[in-house]
Amino acid sequence: DHQVLTTGLLALLLGTPPRTLQQRLATLTALGVVERFRPHQPVGAGSAPYHYLLGETGATILVADGHPKGPGWDRARLLWLTHANGRLTHLLAVNALLAQLTHAARHEPGTRLVCWWPARRCHTRWGRLISPDAYARWQDPDGEVDFFLHHTPTPATDRPVVLLEGYNDLAAATGITTPVLLHAGDPDRETQLRDQLAGQRLLVPVATSNPACGPPTQAVWLPASSPAGGPRYRLDALGHP
Protein backbone atom coordinates (compact mmCIF):
# COMPACT_ATOMS: atom_id res chain seq x y z
CA ASP A 1 0.00 0.00 0.00
CA HIS A 2 2.87 2.40 0.75
CA GLN A 3 4.58 1.64 -2.59
CA VAL A 4 8.30 2.11 -1.75
CA LEU A 5 10.23 1.28 1.41
CA THR A 6 13.99 1.41 1.94
CA THR A 7 16.00 -1.11 3.92
CA GLY A 8 16.21 1.39 6.79
CA LEU A 9 12.46 1.98 6.86
CA LEU A 10 11.77 -1.76 6.79
CA ALA A 11 14.12 -2.19 9.76
CA LEU A 12 12.08 0.38 11.72
CA LEU A 13 8.75 -1.14 10.66
CA LEU A 14 9.62 -4.78 11.34
CA GLY A 15 12.17 -4.66 14.16
CA THR A 16 14.13 -7.47 12.48
CA PRO A 17 17.92 -7.76 13.09
CA PRO A 18 19.79 -6.20 10.12
CA ARG A 19 21.51 -9.38 8.91
CA THR A 20 18.27 -11.40 9.08
CA LEU A 21 16.40 -8.62 7.30
CA GLN A 22 18.98 -8.50 4.48
CA GLN A 23 18.85 -12.28 4.03
CA ARG A 24 15.05 -12.35 3.90
CA LEU A 25 14.87 -9.45 1.46
CA ALA A 26 17.42 -11.15 -0.80
CA THR A 27 15.27 -14.31 -0.80
CA LEU A 28 12.04 -12.39 -1.48
CA THR A 29 13.75 -10.51 -4.32
CA ALA A 30 14.96 -13.76 -5.88
CA LEU A 31 11.41 -15.15 -5.70
CA GLY A 32 9.94 -12.04 -7.34
CA VAL A 33 7.85 -11.21 -4.28
CA VAL A 34 9.56 -7.81 -4.18
CA GLU A 35 11.67 -5.84 -6.63
CA ARG A 36 14.46 -3.49 -5.65
CA PHE A 37 16.47 -0.61 -7.08
CA ARG A 38 19.01 1.99 -6.03
CA PRO A 39 18.38 5.58 -7.14
CA HIS A 40 21.24 7.53 -8.69
CA GLN A 41 23.23 9.60 -6.22
CA PRO A 42 25.34 12.74 -6.86
CA VAL A 43 29.02 12.12 -7.52
CA GLY A 44 30.82 11.43 -4.24
CA ALA A 45 27.62 10.71 -2.31
CA GLY A 46 28.13 6.93 -2.27
CA SER A 47 25.50 4.28 -2.96
CA ALA A 48 21.87 4.78 -2.01
CA PRO A 49 20.21 2.06 0.08
CA TYR A 50 18.06 -0.48 -1.70
CA HIS A 51 14.49 0.66 -2.29
CA TYR A 52 11.89 -2.12 -2.35
CA LEU A 53 8.69 -2.37 -4.39
CA LEU A 54 6.04 -5.06 -4.47
CA GLY A 55 6.88 -7.55 -7.22
CA GLU A 56 4.56 -9.39 -9.58
CA THR A 57 4.72 -12.60 -7.54
CA GLY A 58 3.94 -10.61 -4.40
CA ALA A 59 0.92 -9.06 -6.09
CA THR A 60 -0.28 -12.53 -7.15
CA ILE A 61 0.02 -13.75 -3.55
CA LEU A 62 -2.03 -10.80 -2.30
CA VAL A 63 -4.77 -11.50 -4.85
CA ALA A 64 -4.85 -15.14 -3.71
CA ASP A 65 -5.13 -13.83 -0.15
CA GLY A 66 -8.25 -11.86 -1.03
CA HIS A 67 -6.78 -8.43 -1.82
CA PRO A 68 -8.26 -7.35 -5.17
CA LYS A 69 -5.69 -6.41 -7.83
CA GLY A 70 -2.78 -6.76 -5.40
CA PRO A 71 -2.85 -3.35 -3.65
CA GLY A 72 0.07 -1.12 -4.42
CA TRP A 73 1.22 -3.05 -7.50
CA ASP A 74 1.12 -1.26 -10.82
CA ARG A 75 4.36 -2.06 -12.61
CA ALA A 76 4.35 0.98 -14.87
CA ARG A 77 3.65 3.34 -11.98
CA LEU A 78 6.19 1.71 -9.67
CA LEU A 79 8.90 1.83 -12.33
CA TRP A 80 8.03 5.48 -12.95
CA LEU A 81 8.63 6.16 -9.27
CA THR A 82 12.19 4.88 -9.59
CA HIS A 83 12.95 7.76 -11.96
CA ALA A 84 10.75 10.48 -10.43
CA ASN A 85 13.21 11.78 -7.85
CA GLY A 86 10.98 14.56 -6.48
CA ARG A 87 7.98 12.27 -6.03
CA LEU A 88 10.11 9.45 -4.63
CA THR A 89 11.71 11.76 -2.04
CA HIS A 90 8.27 13.02 -1.00
CA LEU A 91 6.84 9.50 -0.69
CA LEU A 92 9.78 8.30 1.39
CA ALA A 93 9.49 11.31 3.73
CA VAL A 94 5.85 10.39 4.41
CA ASN A 95 6.72 6.71 4.85
CA ALA A 96 9.52 7.66 7.25
CA LEU A 97 6.92 9.15 9.61
CA LEU A 98 4.91 5.92 9.39
CA ALA A 99 8.03 3.92 10.22
CA GLN A 100 8.91 6.17 13.18
CA LEU A 101 5.40 5.87 14.64
CA THR A 102 5.45 2.09 14.19
CA HIS A 103 8.89 1.84 15.79
CA ALA A 104 7.78 3.99 18.76
CA ALA A 105 4.65 1.87 19.25
CA ARG A 106 6.84 -1.22 19.53
CA HIS A 107 9.08 0.26 22.22
CA GLU A 108 6.85 2.62 24.21
CA PRO A 109 4.29 0.82 26.43
CA GLY A 110 0.69 1.85 25.90
CA THR A 111 1.24 3.33 22.43
CA ARG A 112 -0.27 2.08 19.20
CA LEU A 113 -0.52 3.16 15.59
CA VAL A 114 -4.16 2.17 15.09
CA CYS A 115 -4.18 2.84 11.34
CA TRP A 116 -2.25 4.58 8.59
CA TRP A 117 -3.92 5.15 5.23
CA PRO A 118 -1.68 6.11 2.29
CA ALA A 119 -2.52 8.95 -0.11
CA ARG A 120 -4.26 6.71 -2.65
CA ARG A 121 -6.73 5.34 -0.12
CA CYS A 122 -7.37 8.85 1.20
CA HIS A 123 -8.07 10.06 -2.34
CA THR A 124 -10.60 7.27 -2.85
CA ARG A 125 -12.41 8.26 0.33
CA TRP A 126 -12.20 12.08 0.32
CA GLY A 127 -10.74 13.03 -3.07
CA ARG A 128 -13.49 15.48 -3.99
CA LEU A 129 -12.48 17.73 -1.08
CA ILE A 130 -9.02 16.90 0.23
CA SER A 131 -5.85 15.09 -0.85
CA PRO A 132 -3.72 14.34 2.23
CA ASP A 133 -0.49 12.37 2.04
CA ALA A 134 -1.84 10.13 4.80
CA TYR A 135 -4.56 9.68 7.40
CA ALA A 136 -3.63 8.10 10.73
CA ARG A 137 -4.88 7.36 14.21
CA TRP A 138 -2.39 7.35 17.10
CA GLN A 139 -3.00 6.07 20.61
CA ASP A 140 -0.91 6.59 23.74
CA PRO A 141 -1.55 6.52 27.52
CA ASP A 142 -2.76 10.14 27.48
CA GLY A 143 -5.32 9.78 24.72
CA GLU A 144 -6.02 9.06 21.08
CA VAL A 145 -5.99 11.34 18.07
CA ASP A 146 -6.64 10.93 14.39
CA PHE A 147 -5.09 13.34 11.89
CA PHE A 148 -4.43 14.13 8.27
CA LEU A 149 -0.79 14.58 7.25
CA HIS A 150 0.81 16.69 4.55
CA HIS A 151 4.54 16.69 3.91
CA THR A 152 5.34 20.16 2.56
CA PRO A 153 9.05 20.38 1.70
CA THR A 154 8.73 23.45 -0.56
CA PRO A 155 5.55 25.42 0.21
CA ALA A 156 4.30 27.62 -2.60
CA THR A 157 3.06 31.12 -1.76
CA ASP A 158 -0.63 30.25 -1.59
CA ARG A 159 -0.53 26.47 -1.22
CA PRO A 160 -1.30 26.13 2.51
CA VAL A 161 -4.34 28.39 2.24
CA VAL A 162 -5.71 26.60 -0.82
CA LEU A 163 -4.86 23.21 0.70
CA LEU A 164 -6.84 23.93 3.89
CA GLU A 165 -9.98 25.16 2.11
CA GLY A 166 -11.03 21.56 1.49
CA TYR A 167 -10.55 20.68 5.17
CA ASN A 168 -12.69 23.64 6.19
CA ASP A 169 -15.40 22.46 3.79
CA LEU A 170 -15.17 18.89 5.14
CA ALA A 171 -15.40 20.10 8.75
CA ALA A 172 -18.37 22.34 7.94
CA ALA A 173 -20.21 19.47 6.21
CA THR A 174 -19.54 16.77 8.81
CA GLY A 175 -19.07 18.66 12.06
CA ILE A 176 -15.84 16.67 12.58
CA THR A 177 -12.69 18.74 13.02
CA THR A 178 -9.85 16.32 12.40
CA PRO A 179 -6.42 17.94 12.98
CA VAL A 180 -4.24 18.63 9.94
CA LEU A 181 -0.48 18.23 10.46
CA LEU A 182 1.89 20.03 8.08
CA HIS A 183 5.38 18.51 8.16
CA ALA A 184 7.90 20.87 6.58
CA GLY A 185 11.22 19.83 5.09
CA ASP A 186 13.35 21.94 7.45
CA PRO A 187 13.04 24.77 10.03
CA ASP A 188 13.20 27.58 7.43
CA ARG A 189 10.40 26.05 5.40
CA GLU A 190 8.31 25.58 8.52
CA THR A 191 8.74 29.31 9.23
CA GLN A 192 7.63 30.13 5.66
CA LEU A 193 4.64 27.85 6.08
CA ARG A 194 3.59 29.52 9.32
CA ASP A 195 3.97 32.98 7.78
CA GLN A 196 1.61 31.94 5.00
CA LEU A 197 -0.94 30.65 7.54
CA ALA A 198 -0.85 33.77 9.70
CA GLY A 199 -4.25 35.44 9.97
CA GLN A 200 -6.13 32.65 8.18
CA ARG A 201 -9.53 31.55 9.48
CA LEU A 202 -9.27 27.81 10.11
CA LEU A 203 -12.13 25.51 11.11
CA VAL A 204 -9.78 22.61 11.87
CA PRO A 205 -6.79 22.40 14.25
CA VAL A 206 -3.56 22.85 12.27
CA ALA A 207 -0.06 22.20 13.58
CA THR A 208 3.39 22.27 11.98
CA SER A 209 6.72 20.55 12.55
CA ASN A 210 9.95 19.66 10.78
CA PRO A 211 12.48 16.79 11.09
CA ALA A 212 14.92 18.89 13.15
CA CYS A 213 12.39 18.97 16.02
CA GLY A 214 12.63 15.23 16.60
CA PRO A 215 10.44 12.13 16.16
CA PRO A 216 6.72 12.73 15.46
CA THR A 217 5.66 11.07 18.74
CA GLN A 218 7.49 13.66 20.82
CA ALA A 219 6.48 17.25 21.66
CA VAL A 220 7.31 18.58 18.19
CA TRP A 221 3.96 19.94 16.92
CA LEU A 222 3.36 23.70 17.04
CA PRO A 223 -0.30 24.78 16.58
CA ALA A 224 -0.85 27.36 13.87
CA SER A 225 -2.60 29.52 16.47
CA SER A 226 0.52 29.62 18.68
CA PRO A 227 3.27 32.22 18.29
CA ALA A 228 6.62 31.26 16.80
CA GLY A 229 8.77 29.87 19.59
CA GLY A 230 5.71 28.81 21.59
CA PRO A 231 5.45 25.42 23.28
CA ARG A 232 5.22 22.39 21.05
CA TYR A 233 2.91 19.50 21.85
CA ARG A 234 2.68 15.74 21.54
CA LEU A 235 0.21 14.16 19.15
CA ASP A 236 -2.36 13.30 21.83
CA ALA A 237 -2.63 16.98 22.83
CA LEU A 238 -3.75 18.01 19.34
CA GLY A 239 -7.08 16.20 19.36
CA HIS A 240 -10.27 16.92 21.25
CA PRO A 241 -11.06 15.11 24.53
Side-chain angles (χ1 to χ4, degrees):
D1 275 347
H2 302 287
Q3 299 185 76
V4 181
L5 295 166
T6 64
T7 308
L9 294 183
L10 285 164
L12 287 174
L13 286 165
L14 301 174
T16 306
R19 182 171 177 79
T20 302
L21 178 64
Q22 294 283 4
Q23 290 172 338
R24 291 177 178 174
L25 286 171
T27 300
L28 292 171
T29 301
L31 293 171
V33 175
V34 296
E35 297 183 19
R36 68 184 183 184
F37 69 96
R38 278 180 167 151
H40 293 295
Q41 294 274 80
V43 176
S47 298
Y50 275 120
H51 290 51
Y52 289 88
L53 316 164
L54 184 65
E56 185 172 5
T57 301
T60 302
I61 292 169
L62 289 175
V63 170
D65 240 3
H67 298 280
K69 298 182 181 178
W73 196 78
D74 178 332
R75 185 178 182 82
R77 176 171 175 75
L78 293 177
L79 290 177
W80 171 78
L81 274 174
T82 69
H83 299 286
N85 290 334
R87 178 58 190 158
L88 178 61
T89 301
H90 184 100
L91 178 62
L92 290 174
V94 174
N95 287 350
L97 291 170
L98 158 70
Q100 289 174 317
L101 289 170
T102 303
H103 181 75
R106 185 180 300 111
H107 296 282
E108 298 177 16
T111 62
R112 180 183 173 216
L113 181 60
V114 180
C115 74
W116 181 282
W117 290 7
R120 219 169 13 172
R121 185 170 178 180
C122 293
H123 180 77
T124 300
R125 183 69 176 267
W126 298 292
R128 287 180 297 172
L129 290 175
I130 60 174
S131 297
D133 290 320
Y135 163 79
R137 178 176 289 272
W138 173 256
Q139 190 178 76
D140 68 23
D142 294 322
E144 184 172 298
V145 61
D146 57 345
F147 59 86
F148 294 109
L149 175 75
H150 282 270
H151 177 61
T152 57
T154 53
T157 303
D158 61 348
R159 187 171 185 271
V161 178
V162 173
L163 178 152
L164 291 170
E165 286 178 355
Y167 291 96
N168 286 338
D169 292 341
L170 185 64
T174 63
I176 301 171
T177 53
T178 303
V180 180
L181 306 186
L182 305 179
H183 192 259
D186 57 49
D188 289 341
R189 287 170 182 160
E190 184 183 5
T191 299
Q192 295 172 27
L193 196 60
R194 297 186 65 80
D195 288 344
Q196 293 159 8
L197 290 172
Q200 298 299 317
R201 181 174 177 269
L202 305 173
L203 299 183
V204 294
V206 176
T208 64
S209 185
N210 72 82
C213 296
T217 54
Q218 302 302 311
V220 300
W221 300 101
L222 181 61
S225 57
S226 297
R232 293 180 181 260
Y233 298 90
R234 294 172 64 94
L235 282 172
D236 63 85
L238 302 177
H240 297 292

